[in-house]
Amino acid sequence: MRVAVISESFLPTVSGVTTSVCKVLEHLAAHGHDALVIAPAGAPAEYAGFPVHTVPAVAYRQFPVGVPSPQVQRLLAGFRPDVLHAASPFLLGAQGIAAANRLGIPSVAVFQTDVAGYARRNHLGRASRLAWRLVKWVHDGADLTLVPSTASMRDVQRAGLARLDFWARGVDLDGFHPNRRDDPAAALLRGRLSPAGETVIGYVGRIAPEKQVERMRALRGMRGFSLAIVGDGPSLPAVQRELSGMPVTWLGRLSGSALRDAYAGFDMFLHTGTEETFGQTIQEAHAAGLPVVAPRAGGPVDLVDHGRDGFLFRPDDDADLRHFSSQLVDDGALRRRMGEAGRRAVLGRSWERVCTDLLGHYDRVIDHRLALRAVASVPLRLQR
């Protein structure tokens, strides 16, 4: 199979979109498929052995945003893929989907942006409706839109999108593992995060307005814990001010083995944002054997079984966030029990399995297009 991947986010930018695109490319390479990547400027020249073509981009909140370019249609026409994969399509992805349609190439669009949440946070009333119309226009051009959670499915159905299905995200079950806690590097970090035996509450992700990391101030005054925050982003200075005086270790952006060691150094995981379409770091925390505290909103609703592998707090209630966090800080047996349940919950979500499901979606849209062409090629008198 020949797959063209057009992504609004790619390396060196670290995001959920980037992670899923990289895993898809690795899967395609491992199973003998061919691929081409189109991404904003700044990306590496290749990934997983596949060429990466870049288009001009403008900077927005530390992210490069690809802008439409005539190069997109030329690349698709030259590569002649069997299917186009549009990752979180916006300007660049919309152009890719339109070009694919002109060339008769079926397309799969992956929805990963909480437009409704962004609009609520920025009080955008009328602009919210315009944003959803734009989303609908982009995704209506695709043969199939894949959404990651039940909350996202409700949002896109409410906006009038059709031709929908679910596609979750995988997790590295070997890299994120409870046994990693015994590795020397993880143990060394653990000593730094918990010098007096404190319960370590961890966070991993961008530090940006939609992540609401500043809500961790609700823990101020609690005893027996320390915070470990992995990530950076435009809100870092503001969040550091909000959490000043609290027991926080700022670990910065981490990847690879350093990121896996960080999870191994945590005792529990706290996710604060209410606008996640999925929540990849929650899966990573569960894979590492950690209980999770997260809002009862968006993707976390599908990922956290309240009372079994973590707690879901009321989205706008900081006292609720503090209450459940305090329960886990004070009860080591509860943390261990929930952490084990979280690990069991993600055992069926390897990237191998999830990407195999994605190839099934590719096959479906390819077969549908072929069927439509076959019908169109039948003379009108025979169709009657």
Side-chain angles (χ1 to χ4, degrees):
M1 186 184 301
R2 294 168 66 82
V3 182
V5 177
I6 188 162
S7 182
E8 303 290 343
S9 175
F10 198 61
L11 298 171
T13 300
V14 178
S15 69
V17 175
T18 299
T19 297
S20 63
V21 168
C22 289
K23 292 298 184 180
V24 168
L25 294 171
E26 291 165 12
H27 185 83
L28 293 172
H31 291 269
H33 301 286
D34 197 7
L36 166 148
V37 183
I38 303 172
E46 67 170 47
Y47 187 82
F50 301 130
V52 178
H53 299 270
T54 59
V55 299
V58 295
Y60 174 69
R61 291 177 56 209
Q62 300 183 355
F63 276 112
V65 177
V67 297
S69 164
Q71 183 183 4
V72 171
Q73 180 150 336
R74 288 198 298 268
L75 287 167
L76 294 179
F79 185 59
R80 297 304 301 180
D82 297 303
V83 64
L84 172 74
H85 174 127
S88 194
F90 184 50
L91 298 177
L92 185 57
Q95 185 193 13
I97 292 169
N101 282 328
R102 287 191 292 271
L103 295 167
I105 300 165
S107 58
V108 172
V110 180
F111 178 82
Q112 286 182 254
T113 305
D114 185 359
V115 177
Y118 180 86
R120 282 193 301 271
R121 175 167 43 82
N122 291 282
H123 310 291
L124 293 179
R126 187 176 300 174
S128 171
R129 292 189 291 274
L130 292 173
W132 272 118
R133 281 202 287 270
L134 175 60
V135 169
K136 185 176 186 303
W137 173 74
V138 171
H139 285 264
D140 276 351
D143 292 72
L144 178 67
T145 290
L146 299 176
V147 297
S149 66
T150 54
S152 296
M153 183 65 79
R154 284 194 298 271
D155 283 343
V156 297
Q157 287 176 333
R158 195 177 298 120
L161 272 70
R163 302 187 300 279
L164 303 169
D165 210 333
F166 284 105
W167 182 56
R169 303 294 179 270
V171 64
D172 180 357
L173 294 170
D174 296 323
F176 300 103
H177 196 288
N179 291 345
R180 194 177 185 93
R181 197 175 181 90
D182 298 325
D183 288 0
L188 185 65
L189 177 62
R190 170 77 188 176
R192 176 184 166 197
L193 301 178
S194 178
E198 299 91 342
T199 299
V200 180
I201 302 175
Y203 167 84
V204 176
R206 267 176 57 81
I207 304 177
E210 68 274 11
K211 302 299 184 181
Q212 300 170 279
V213 184
E214 66 278 359
R215 295 188 69 184
M216 292 185 184
R217 62 179 173 245
L219 307 182
R220 190 182 298 276
M222 273 177 37
R223 294 185 178 182
F225 82 99
S226 66
L227 285 171
I229 296 179
V230 175
D232 63 11
S235 296
L236 180 59
V239 173
Q240 287 178 326
R241 287 194 298 271
E242 288 283 349
L243 304 185
S244 64
M246 294 179 65
V248 186
T249 301
W250 303 91
L251 294 172
R253 182 186 297 180
L254 299 177
S255 61
S257 61
L259 177 60
R260 294 188 284 271
D261 288 340
Y263 278 103
F266 302 161
D267 293 302
M268 54 182 284
F269 191 83
L270 175 58
H271 179 83
T272 47
T274 58
E275 300 171 21
E276 295 294 330
T277 56
F278 188 66
Q280 181 62 18
T281 58
I282 292 174
Q283 285 204 137
E284 292 169 353
H286 274 157
L290 302 175
V292 174
V293 176
R296 191 181 293 276
V301 174
D302 290 346
L303 299 177
V304 179
D305 187 350
H306 182 75
R308 180 174 176 78
D309 52 34
F311 292 116
L312 293 168
F313 61 85
R314 289 185 293 271
D316 299 320
D317 190 338
D318 283 355
D320 214 31
L321 181 162
R322 180 187 176 103
H323 167 71
F324 289 125
S325 298
S326 179
Q327 271 193 256
L328 285 171
V329 166
D330 294 339
D331 193 335
L334 179 63
R335 290 197 304 271
R336 288 188 290 275
R337 187 167 65 250
M338 285 189 163
E340 290 169 1
R343 173 73 185 179
R344 289 195 299 271
V346 297
L347 289 178
R349 300 182 198 158
S350 68
W351 275 111
E352 175 70 20
R353 181 170 180 174
V354 167
C355 288
T356 297
D357 291 344
L358 178 64
L359 265 60
H361 290 304
Y362 291 167
D363 285 334
R364 207 169 100 213
V365 298
I366 292 169
D367 290 346
H368 182 66
R369 279 287 183 116
L370 289 174
L372 290 178
R373 287 176 194 155
V375 170
S377 67
V378 175
L380 184 60
R381 63 179 180 275
L382 294 180
Q383 293 183 36
R384 290 174 179 170

